[in-house]
Short mmCIF file of all heavy atoms in Angstrom, two decimals:
data_model
loop_
_atom_site.label_atom_id
_atom_site.label_comp_id
_atom_site.label_asym_id
_atom_site.label_seq_id
_atom_site.Cartn_x
_atom_site.Cartn_y
_atom_site.Cartn_z
N PRO A 6 39.17 -25.69 39.98
CA PRO A 6 39.61 -24.32 39.76
C PRO A 6 38.43 -23.40 39.46
O PRO A 6 37.45 -23.81 38.84
CB PRO A 6 40.53 -24.40 38.56
CG PRO A 6 40.70 -25.85 38.22
CD PRO A 6 39.72 -26.62 39.05
N GLY A 7 38.55 -22.18 39.88
CA GLY A 7 37.53 -21.20 39.58
C GLY A 7 36.31 -21.28 40.48
O GLY A 7 35.27 -20.73 40.16
N LEU A 8 36.41 -21.97 41.62
CA LEU A 8 35.27 -22.12 42.52
C LEU A 8 35.58 -21.62 43.94
O LEU A 8 35.17 -22.25 44.91
CB LEU A 8 34.85 -23.59 42.59
CG LEU A 8 34.46 -24.24 41.27
CD1 LEU A 8 34.27 -25.73 41.46
CD2 LEU A 8 33.21 -23.61 40.72
N PRO A 9 36.26 -20.50 44.09
CA PRO A 9 36.65 -20.09 45.45
C PRO A 9 35.47 -19.87 46.39
O PRO A 9 35.53 -20.24 47.56
CB PRO A 9 37.46 -18.82 45.24
CG PRO A 9 37.08 -18.32 43.89
CD PRO A 9 36.71 -19.54 43.10
N HIS A 10 34.38 -19.30 45.89
CA HIS A 10 33.24 -19.06 46.78
C HIS A 10 32.62 -20.37 47.25
O HIS A 10 32.21 -20.48 48.41
CB HIS A 10 32.20 -18.18 46.09
CG HIS A 10 32.73 -16.85 45.69
ND1 HIS A 10 33.19 -15.94 46.60
CD2 HIS A 10 32.90 -16.29 44.47
CE1 HIS A 10 33.62 -14.86 45.97
NE2 HIS A 10 33.46 -15.06 44.67
N ASN A 11 32.57 -21.35 46.37
CA ASN A 11 32.05 -22.66 46.76
C ASN A 11 32.94 -23.31 47.80
O ASN A 11 32.46 -23.95 48.74
CB ASN A 11 31.92 -23.58 45.55
CG ASN A 11 30.87 -23.11 44.58
OD1 ASN A 11 30.18 -22.12 44.81
ND2 ASN A 11 30.75 -23.80 43.47
N LEU A 12 34.26 -23.17 47.63
CA LEU A 12 35.18 -23.77 48.59
C LEU A 12 35.12 -23.04 49.93
O LEU A 12 35.28 -23.67 50.98
CB LEU A 12 36.60 -23.78 48.03
CG LEU A 12 36.80 -24.76 46.86
CD1 LEU A 12 38.16 -24.54 46.21
CD2 LEU A 12 36.64 -26.20 47.32
N GLU A 13 34.88 -21.73 49.92
CA GLU A 13 34.68 -21.00 51.18
C GLU A 13 33.48 -21.59 51.91
O GLU A 13 33.55 -21.89 53.10
CB GLU A 13 34.41 -19.52 50.92
CG GLU A 13 35.56 -18.73 50.40
CD GLU A 13 35.14 -17.35 49.93
OE1 GLU A 13 34.01 -16.90 50.25
OE2 GLU A 13 35.94 -16.70 49.23
N GLY A 14 32.39 -21.74 51.18
CA GLY A 14 31.17 -22.28 51.78
C GLY A 14 31.35 -23.70 52.27
O GLY A 14 30.84 -24.07 53.34
N LEU A 15 32.07 -24.51 51.51
CA LEU A 15 32.33 -25.89 51.92
C LEU A 15 33.15 -25.92 53.21
O LEU A 15 32.85 -26.69 54.13
CB LEU A 15 33.05 -26.66 50.82
CG LEU A 15 33.41 -28.11 51.13
CD1 LEU A 15 32.16 -28.93 51.45
CD2 LEU A 15 34.18 -28.72 49.95
N ALA A 16 34.17 -25.09 53.30
CA ALA A 16 35.00 -25.05 54.51
C ALA A 16 34.16 -24.67 55.72
O ALA A 16 34.25 -25.30 56.78
CB ALA A 16 36.16 -24.07 54.33
N VAL A 17 33.32 -23.66 55.58
CA VAL A 17 32.47 -23.23 56.69
C VAL A 17 31.45 -24.32 57.03
O VAL A 17 31.23 -24.62 58.21
CB VAL A 17 31.79 -21.88 56.36
CG1 VAL A 17 30.72 -21.55 57.39
CG2 VAL A 17 32.82 -20.77 56.29
N SER A 18 30.85 -24.92 56.03
CA SER A 18 29.86 -25.98 56.28
C SER A 18 30.48 -27.15 57.02
O SER A 18 29.88 -27.70 57.95
CB SER A 18 29.26 -26.47 54.96
OG SER A 18 28.51 -25.45 54.36
N CYS A 19 31.69 -27.53 56.61
CA CYS A 19 32.38 -28.62 57.30
C CYS A 19 32.62 -28.26 58.76
O CYS A 19 32.38 -29.09 59.66
CB CYS A 19 33.70 -28.95 56.61
SG CYS A 19 33.52 -29.81 55.04
N ARG A 20 33.08 -27.05 59.01
CA ARG A 20 33.33 -26.61 60.39
C ARG A 20 32.06 -26.66 61.21
O ARG A 20 32.06 -27.14 62.34
CB ARG A 20 33.86 -25.17 60.41
CG ARG A 20 35.32 -25.00 60.27
CD ARG A 20 36.09 -25.22 61.51
NE ARG A 20 35.68 -24.32 62.60
CZ ARG A 20 35.83 -24.61 63.88
NH1 ARG A 20 36.37 -25.72 64.24
NH2 ARG A 20 35.44 -23.78 64.80
N LEU A 21 30.97 -26.15 60.66
CA LEU A 21 29.71 -26.12 61.39
C LEU A 21 29.17 -27.53 61.65
O LEU A 21 28.42 -27.74 62.61
CB LEU A 21 28.67 -25.29 60.63
CG LEU A 21 28.96 -23.79 60.60
CD1 LEU A 21 28.00 -23.09 59.65
CD2 LEU A 21 28.88 -23.19 62.00
N ASP A 22 29.59 -28.48 60.82
CA ASP A 22 29.17 -29.87 60.99
C ASP A 22 30.13 -30.64 61.91
O ASP A 22 29.95 -31.83 62.12
CB ASP A 22 29.09 -30.54 59.61
CG ASP A 22 28.31 -31.83 59.64
OD1 ASP A 22 27.29 -31.90 60.35
OD2 ASP A 22 28.72 -32.78 58.94
N GLY A 23 31.15 -29.96 62.41
CA GLY A 23 32.11 -30.60 63.30
C GLY A 23 33.22 -31.33 62.59
O GLY A 23 33.99 -32.06 63.22
N ASP A 24 33.33 -31.15 61.29
CA ASP A 24 34.36 -31.82 60.49
C ASP A 24 35.54 -30.88 60.26
O ASP A 24 35.69 -30.29 59.20
CB ASP A 24 33.75 -32.26 59.15
CG ASP A 24 34.73 -33.01 58.27
OD1 ASP A 24 35.87 -33.28 58.71
OD2 ASP A 24 34.36 -33.31 57.12
N ASP A 25 36.37 -30.73 61.28
CA ASP A 25 37.51 -29.81 61.19
C ASP A 25 38.49 -30.22 60.11
O ASP A 25 39.03 -29.37 59.41
CB ASP A 25 38.22 -29.70 62.54
CG ASP A 25 37.36 -29.00 63.59
OD1 ASP A 25 36.42 -28.28 63.22
OD2 ASP A 25 37.64 -29.19 64.79
N ALA A 26 38.73 -31.51 59.96
CA ALA A 26 39.66 -31.97 58.92
C ALA A 26 39.12 -31.63 57.53
O ALA A 26 39.86 -31.18 56.66
CB ALA A 26 39.91 -33.47 59.05
N GLY A 27 37.83 -31.83 57.33
CA GLY A 27 37.21 -31.48 56.05
C GLY A 27 37.28 -29.99 55.79
O GLY A 27 37.49 -29.56 54.65
N ALA A 28 37.11 -29.20 56.83
CA ALA A 28 37.19 -27.74 56.69
C ALA A 28 38.60 -27.32 56.28
O ALA A 28 38.78 -26.50 55.38
CB ALA A 28 36.81 -27.06 58.01
N ARG A 29 39.60 -27.89 56.94
CA ARG A 29 40.98 -27.56 56.58
C ARG A 29 41.31 -28.01 55.16
O ARG A 29 42.01 -27.32 54.42
CB ARG A 29 41.95 -28.17 57.59
CG ARG A 29 41.94 -27.45 58.93
CD ARG A 29 43.05 -27.92 59.86
NE ARG A 29 42.96 -29.35 60.16
CZ ARG A 29 42.23 -29.87 61.13
NH1 ARG A 29 41.53 -29.09 61.92
NH2 ARG A 29 42.22 -31.18 61.34
N ASP A 30 40.79 -29.17 54.78
CA ASP A 30 41.02 -29.68 53.42
C ASP A 30 40.38 -28.75 52.38
O ASP A 30 41.01 -28.42 51.38
CB ASP A 30 40.46 -31.09 53.29
CG ASP A 30 40.66 -31.63 51.88
OD1 ASP A 30 41.83 -31.79 51.47
OD2 ASP A 30 39.65 -31.88 51.19
N ALA A 31 39.14 -28.33 52.63
CA ALA A 31 38.47 -27.42 51.69
C ALA A 31 39.24 -26.11 51.59
O ALA A 31 39.41 -25.56 50.50
CB ALA A 31 37.04 -27.18 52.12
N PHE A 32 39.71 -25.61 52.73
CA PHE A 32 40.47 -24.37 52.69
C PHE A 32 41.80 -24.55 51.97
O PHE A 32 42.22 -23.68 51.20
CB PHE A 32 40.69 -23.79 54.09
CG PHE A 32 41.33 -22.44 54.01
CD1 PHE A 32 40.60 -21.34 53.59
CD2 PHE A 32 42.68 -22.28 54.27
CE1 PHE A 32 41.20 -20.10 53.44
CE2 PHE A 32 43.28 -21.05 54.13
CZ PHE A 32 42.55 -19.95 53.72
N ALA A 33 42.44 -25.69 52.15
CA ALA A 33 43.70 -25.96 51.44
C ALA A 33 43.46 -25.97 49.93
O ALA A 33 44.28 -25.45 49.16
CB ALA A 33 44.30 -27.28 51.91
N ARG A 34 42.34 -26.56 49.50
CA ARG A 34 42.00 -26.55 48.06
C ARG A 34 41.77 -25.12 47.58
O ARG A 34 42.18 -24.75 46.48
CB ARG A 34 40.76 -27.41 47.82
CG ARG A 34 41.05 -28.88 48.01
CD ARG A 34 39.81 -29.75 48.06
NE ARG A 34 38.90 -29.52 46.96
CZ ARG A 34 37.62 -29.90 46.97
NH1 ARG A 34 37.12 -30.50 48.04
NH2 ARG A 34 36.85 -29.68 45.94
N LEU A 35 41.13 -24.31 48.41
CA LEU A 35 40.89 -22.91 48.06
C LEU A 35 42.22 -22.17 47.86
O LEU A 35 42.41 -21.46 46.89
CB LEU A 35 40.07 -22.23 49.17
CG LEU A 35 39.93 -20.72 49.11
CD1 LEU A 35 39.11 -20.29 47.90
CD2 LEU A 35 39.30 -20.19 50.37
N VAL A 36 43.15 -22.39 48.78
CA VAL A 36 44.45 -21.70 48.72
C VAL A 36 45.27 -22.16 47.51
O VAL A 36 46.03 -21.38 46.94
CB VAL A 36 45.23 -21.87 50.03
CG1 VAL A 36 46.64 -21.35 49.92
CG2 VAL A 36 44.49 -21.16 51.15
N ARG A 37 45.09 -23.41 47.09
CA ARG A 37 45.77 -23.85 45.87
C ARG A 37 45.26 -23.06 44.66
O ARG A 37 46.03 -22.74 43.76
CB ARG A 37 45.56 -25.35 45.64
CG ARG A 37 46.47 -26.20 46.48
CD ARG A 37 46.52 -27.64 46.03
NE ARG A 37 45.24 -28.33 46.09
CZ ARG A 37 44.78 -29.00 47.15
NH1 ARG A 37 45.51 -29.06 48.26
NH2 ARG A 37 43.61 -29.61 47.11
N ASP A 38 43.96 -22.75 44.64
CA ASP A 38 43.38 -21.97 43.53
C ASP A 38 43.64 -20.48 43.67
O ASP A 38 43.78 -19.78 42.67
CB ASP A 38 41.87 -22.19 43.44
CG ASP A 38 41.50 -23.56 42.91
OD1 ASP A 38 42.40 -24.27 42.40
OD2 ASP A 38 40.31 -23.92 42.98
N VAL A 39 43.65 -19.99 44.92
CA VAL A 39 43.81 -18.56 45.18
C VAL A 39 44.89 -18.40 46.25
O VAL A 39 44.60 -18.22 47.43
CB VAL A 39 42.48 -17.93 45.66
CG1 VAL A 39 42.62 -16.42 45.82
CG2 VAL A 39 41.33 -18.27 44.73
N PRO A 40 46.17 -18.49 45.86
CA PRO A 40 47.26 -18.50 46.84
C PRO A 40 47.33 -17.25 47.73
O PRO A 40 47.80 -17.32 48.86
CB PRO A 40 48.53 -18.60 45.99
CG PRO A 40 48.08 -19.05 44.66
CD PRO A 40 46.65 -18.66 44.50
N ASP A 41 46.85 -16.13 47.24
CA ASP A 41 46.93 -14.89 48.03
C ASP A 41 45.60 -14.58 48.75
O ASP A 41 45.34 -13.45 49.12
CB ASP A 41 47.37 -13.73 47.16
CG ASP A 41 46.42 -13.49 46.00
OD1 ASP A 41 45.61 -14.37 45.68
OD2 ASP A 41 46.51 -12.40 45.38
N PHE A 42 44.79 -15.61 48.99
CA PHE A 42 43.49 -15.43 49.64
C PHE A 42 43.65 -14.75 50.99
O PHE A 42 44.50 -15.13 51.79
CB PHE A 42 42.80 -16.78 49.83
CG PHE A 42 41.48 -16.67 50.54
CD1 PHE A 42 40.32 -16.45 49.83
CD2 PHE A 42 41.41 -16.76 51.93
CE1 PHE A 42 39.11 -16.34 50.47
CE2 PHE A 42 40.20 -16.65 52.58
CZ PHE A 42 39.05 -16.44 51.86
N ARG A 43 42.83 -13.75 51.24
CA ARG A 43 42.77 -13.06 52.54
C ARG A 43 41.31 -12.84 52.87
O ARG A 43 40.54 -12.35 52.04
CB ARG A 43 43.49 -11.71 52.51
CG ARG A 43 44.99 -11.78 52.27
CD ARG A 43 45.71 -12.35 53.49
NE ARG A 43 47.11 -12.58 53.24
CZ ARG A 43 47.64 -13.73 52.82
NH1 ARG A 43 46.88 -14.76 52.59
NH2 ARG A 43 48.93 -13.86 52.63
N LEU A 44 40.92 -13.18 54.07
CA LEU A 44 39.55 -13.02 54.51
C LEU A 44 39.09 -11.57 54.40
O LEU A 44 37.94 -11.29 54.07
CB LEU A 44 39.40 -13.52 55.95
CG LEU A 44 38.00 -13.64 56.51
CD1 LEU A 44 37.11 -14.47 55.61
CD2 LEU A 44 38.04 -14.22 57.90
N ALA A 45 40.00 -10.63 54.64
CA ALA A 45 39.65 -9.21 54.56
C ALA A 45 39.20 -8.81 53.17
O ALA A 45 38.52 -7.79 53.01
CB ALA A 45 40.85 -8.37 54.99
N GLU A 46 39.52 -9.61 52.17
CA GLU A 46 39.14 -9.28 50.79
C GLU A 46 37.86 -9.98 50.34
O GLU A 46 37.40 -9.77 49.23
CB GLU A 46 40.29 -9.64 49.86
CG GLU A 46 41.54 -8.81 50.13
CD GLU A 46 42.75 -9.27 49.34
OE1 GLU A 46 42.60 -10.10 48.43
OE2 GLU A 46 43.85 -8.81 49.68
N VAL A 47 37.26 -10.80 51.22
CA VAL A 47 36.01 -11.47 50.88
C VAL A 47 34.88 -10.47 51.01
O VAL A 47 34.78 -9.73 51.98
CB VAL A 47 35.76 -12.68 51.82
CG1 VAL A 47 34.40 -13.30 51.56
CG2 VAL A 47 36.86 -13.72 51.63
N ASP A 48 34.00 -10.44 50.02
CA ASP A 48 32.89 -9.50 50.00
C ASP A 48 31.76 -10.02 50.90
O ASP A 48 31.17 -11.06 50.61
CB ASP A 48 32.39 -9.35 48.57
CG ASP A 48 31.29 -8.32 48.43
OD1 ASP A 48 30.96 -7.65 49.43
OD2 ASP A 48 30.76 -8.18 47.32
N PRO A 49 31.44 -9.30 51.98
CA PRO A 49 30.37 -9.77 52.89
C PRO A 49 28.96 -9.44 52.40
O PRO A 49 27.99 -9.73 53.07
CB PRO A 49 30.68 -9.02 54.19
CG PRO A 49 31.34 -7.76 53.75
CD PRO A 49 32.13 -8.14 52.51
N LEU A 50 28.83 -8.86 51.20
CA LEU A 50 27.52 -8.43 50.71
C LEU A 50 26.43 -9.50 50.68
O LEU A 50 25.27 -9.17 50.92
CB LEU A 50 27.65 -7.80 49.33
CG LEU A 50 28.02 -6.33 49.32
CD1 LEU A 50 28.10 -5.80 47.89
CD2 LEU A 50 27.05 -5.49 50.12
N PRO A 51 26.74 -10.75 50.38
CA PRO A 51 25.63 -11.72 50.37
C PRO A 51 24.96 -11.86 51.74
O PRO A 51 23.88 -12.40 51.85
CB PRO A 51 26.28 -13.03 49.97
CG PRO A 51 27.60 -12.68 49.41
CD PRO A 51 27.98 -11.35 49.97
N PHE A 52 25.61 -11.38 52.79
CA PHE A 52 25.11 -11.53 54.14
C PHE A 52 24.41 -10.25 54.57
O PHE A 52 25.05 -9.25 54.86
CB PHE A 52 26.24 -11.87 55.11
CG PHE A 52 26.91 -13.18 54.79
CD1 PHE A 52 28.04 -13.20 53.98
CD2 PHE A 52 26.39 -14.36 55.25
CE1 PHE A 52 28.65 -14.40 53.66
CE2 PHE A 52 26.99 -15.57 54.93
CZ PHE A 52 28.11 -15.58 54.13
N VAL A 53 23.10 -10.27 54.62
CA VAL A 53 22.33 -9.10 55.04
C VAL A 53 22.51 -8.90 56.54
O VAL A 53 22.63 -7.79 57.02
CB VAL A 53 20.84 -9.28 54.69
CG1 VAL A 53 20.02 -8.13 55.21
CG2 VAL A 53 20.67 -9.44 53.19
N ASP A 54 22.54 -9.99 57.26
CA ASP A 54 22.68 -9.96 58.71
C ASP A 54 24.17 -9.97 59.08
O ASP A 54 24.89 -10.90 58.71
CB ASP A 54 21.96 -11.18 59.28
CG ASP A 54 22.17 -11.36 60.78
OD1 ASP A 54 22.49 -10.38 61.47
OD2 ASP A 54 22.00 -12.50 61.25
N GLN A 55 24.62 -8.96 59.80
CA GLN A 55 26.03 -8.88 60.19
C GLN A 55 26.45 -10.09 61.02
O GLN A 55 27.57 -10.56 60.91
CB GLN A 55 26.29 -7.58 60.97
CG GLN A 55 27.74 -7.38 61.40
CD GLN A 55 28.71 -7.27 60.23
OE1 GLN A 55 28.37 -6.73 59.18
NE2 GLN A 55 29.91 -7.78 60.40
N GLY A 56 25.53 -10.60 61.83
CA GLY A 56 25.85 -11.78 62.64
C GLY A 56 26.15 -13.00 61.79
O GLY A 56 27.04 -13.79 62.12
N ALA A 57 25.42 -13.15 60.69
CA ALA A 57 25.67 -14.29 59.79
C ALA A 57 27.05 -14.16 59.16
O ALA A 57 27.78 -15.15 59.04
CB ALA A 57 24.59 -14.36 58.71
N TRP A 58 27.42 -12.95 58.75
CA TRP A 58 28.75 -12.73 58.17
C TRP A 58 29.83 -13.03 59.21
O TRP A 58 30.83 -13.68 58.92
CB TRP A 58 28.91 -11.30 57.65
CG TRP A 58 30.35 -10.96 57.41
CD1 TRP A 58 31.09 -10.03 58.07
CD2 TRP A 58 31.25 -11.56 56.46
NE1 TRP A 58 32.38 -10.03 57.61
CE2 TRP A 58 32.50 -10.96 56.62
CE3 TRP A 58 31.11 -12.56 55.51
CZ2 TRP A 58 33.60 -11.32 55.86
CZ3 TRP A 58 32.21 -12.92 54.76
CH2 TRP A 58 33.44 -12.30 54.92
N THR A 59 29.61 -12.58 60.44
CA THR A 59 30.60 -12.81 61.50
C THR A 59 30.79 -14.31 61.74
O THR A 59 31.92 -14.78 61.85
CB THR A 59 30.17 -12.10 62.80
OG1 THR A 59 30.07 -10.70 62.54
CG2 THR A 59 31.16 -12.34 63.92
N ARG A 60 29.69 -15.07 61.80
CA ARG A 60 29.81 -16.53 61.98
C ARG A 60 30.53 -17.18 60.80
O ARG A 60 31.37 -18.05 60.98
CB ARG A 60 28.42 -17.15 62.15
CG ARG A 60 27.81 -16.91 63.52
CD ARG A 60 26.53 -17.69 63.75
NE ARG A 60 25.49 -17.38 62.78
CZ ARG A 60 24.68 -16.32 62.83
NH1 ARG A 60 24.81 -15.45 63.82
NH2 ARG A 60 23.75 -16.13 61.91
N PHE A 61 30.20 -16.73 59.58
CA PHE A 61 30.86 -17.26 58.39
C PHE A 61 32.37 -16.99 58.46
O PHE A 61 33.19 -17.89 58.30
CB PHE A 61 30.26 -16.62 57.14
CG PHE A 61 30.78 -17.18 55.85
CD1 PHE A 61 30.18 -18.29 55.26
CD2 PHE A 61 31.85 -16.59 55.19
CE1 PHE A 61 30.65 -18.80 54.06
CE2 PHE A 61 32.33 -17.09 54.00
CZ PHE A 61 31.72 -18.20 53.43
N ALA A 62 32.72 -15.73 58.73
CA ALA A 62 34.14 -15.34 58.79
C ALA A 62 34.87 -16.08 59.91
O ALA A 62 36.00 -16.55 59.72
CB ALA A 62 34.26 -13.83 58.96
N ASP A 63 34.25 -16.18 61.07
CA ASP A 63 34.89 -16.88 62.20
C ASP A 63 35.17 -18.34 61.86
O ASP A 63 36.24 -18.87 62.17
CB ASP A 63 34.01 -16.81 63.45
CG ASP A 63 33.98 -15.43 64.09
OD1 ASP A 63 34.80 -14.56 63.72
OD2 ASP A 63 33.10 -15.21 64.94
N ASN A 64 34.22 -18.99 61.20
CA ASN A 64 34.42 -20.40 60.83
C ASN A 64 35.43 -20.56 59.71
O ASN A 64 36.19 -21.52 59.69
CB ASN A 64 33.08 -21.05 60.49
CG ASN A 64 32.32 -21.43 61.72
OD1 ASN A 64 32.65 -22.40 62.37
ND2 ASN A 64 31.31 -20.64 62.07
N LEU A 65 35.48 -19.62 58.80
CA LEU A 65 36.49 -19.67 57.74
C LEU A 65 37.88 -19.45 58.34
O LEU A 65 38.83 -20.12 57.98
CB LEU A 65 36.18 -18.63 56.67
CG LEU A 65 36.83 -18.83 55.31
CD1 LEU A 65 36.60 -20.22 54.75
CD2 LEU A 65 36.32 -17.79 54.32
N ARG A 66 37.98 -18.55 59.30
CA ARG A 66 39.23 -18.31 60.01
C ARG A 66 39.67 -19.59 60.72
O ARG A 66 40.84 -19.97 60.68
CB ARG A 66 39.05 -17.19 61.03
CG ARG A 66 40.11 -16.16 61.01
CD ARG A 66 39.89 -15.04 62.01
NE ARG A 66 39.37 -13.87 61.31
CZ ARG A 66 38.13 -13.41 61.39
NH1 ARG A 66 37.23 -13.97 62.16
NH2 ARG A 66 37.76 -12.35 60.71
N ALA A 67 38.72 -20.26 61.38
CA ALA A 67 39.03 -21.50 62.11
C ALA A 67 39.49 -22.61 61.15
O ALA A 67 40.23 -23.50 61.55
CB ALA A 67 37.81 -21.96 62.90
N ALA A 68 39.07 -22.52 59.89
CA ALA A 68 39.49 -23.50 58.88
C ALA A 68 40.88 -23.18 58.34
O ALA A 68 41.45 -23.97 57.57
CB ALA A 68 38.49 -23.57 57.74
N GLY A 69 41.42 -22.01 58.71
CA GLY A 69 42.78 -21.68 58.30
C GLY A 69 42.94 -20.38 57.55
O GLY A 69 44.06 -20.03 57.16
N ALA A 70 41.85 -19.66 57.32
CA ALA A 70 41.96 -18.42 56.54
C ALA A 70 42.71 -17.34 57.30
O ALA A 70 42.38 -17.06 58.45
CB ALA A 70 40.56 -17.90 56.17
N PRO A 71 43.69 -16.73 56.66
CA PRO A 71 44.35 -15.59 57.28
C PRO A 71 43.45 -14.35 57.20
O PRO A 71 42.59 -14.27 56.32
CB PRO A 71 45.62 -15.41 56.45
CG PRO A 71 45.27 -15.96 55.11
CD PRO A 71 44.25 -17.05 55.36
N GLY A 72 43.66 -13.44 58.13
CA GLY A 72 42.87 -12.20 58.14
C GLY A 72 43.08 -11.41 56.92
O GLY A 72 42.32 -10.75 56.35
#
């Protein structure tokens, strides 16, 4: 509990590593902690490069994140 940003990163890392099941599992754990999670509410500020944010968001979406 209380680690949503870490779980976001874990889900994306799993996806980028080809571990789709791990990505879905990490996202499921995230949703248990934050049931109303929406990708549109994630702060993209840590990403200076818009392309990096887009890749992060696309992979989080592929792990199951709703828009």
Side-chain angles (χ1 to χ4, degrees):
L8 302 172
H10 300 297
N11 293 357
L12 291 170
E13 290 169 15
L15 178 59
V17 170
S18 294
C19 287
R20 273 280 302 154
L21 291 171
D22 196 39
D24 182 5
D25 292 339
R29 287 189 300 274
D30 179 64
F32 186 73
R34 290 168 51 198
L35 170 67
V36 171
R37 281 194 298 271
D38 287 349
V39 185
D41 59 345
F42 178 88
R43 296 289 173 267
L44 189 53
E46 296 172 11
V47 174
D48 184 5
L50 275 181
F52 298 93
V53 176
D54 173 22
Q55 182 62 35
W58 164 246
T59 300
R60 284 188 301 279
F61 185 87
D63 287 348
N64 280 285
L65 199 52
R66 227 179 258 108

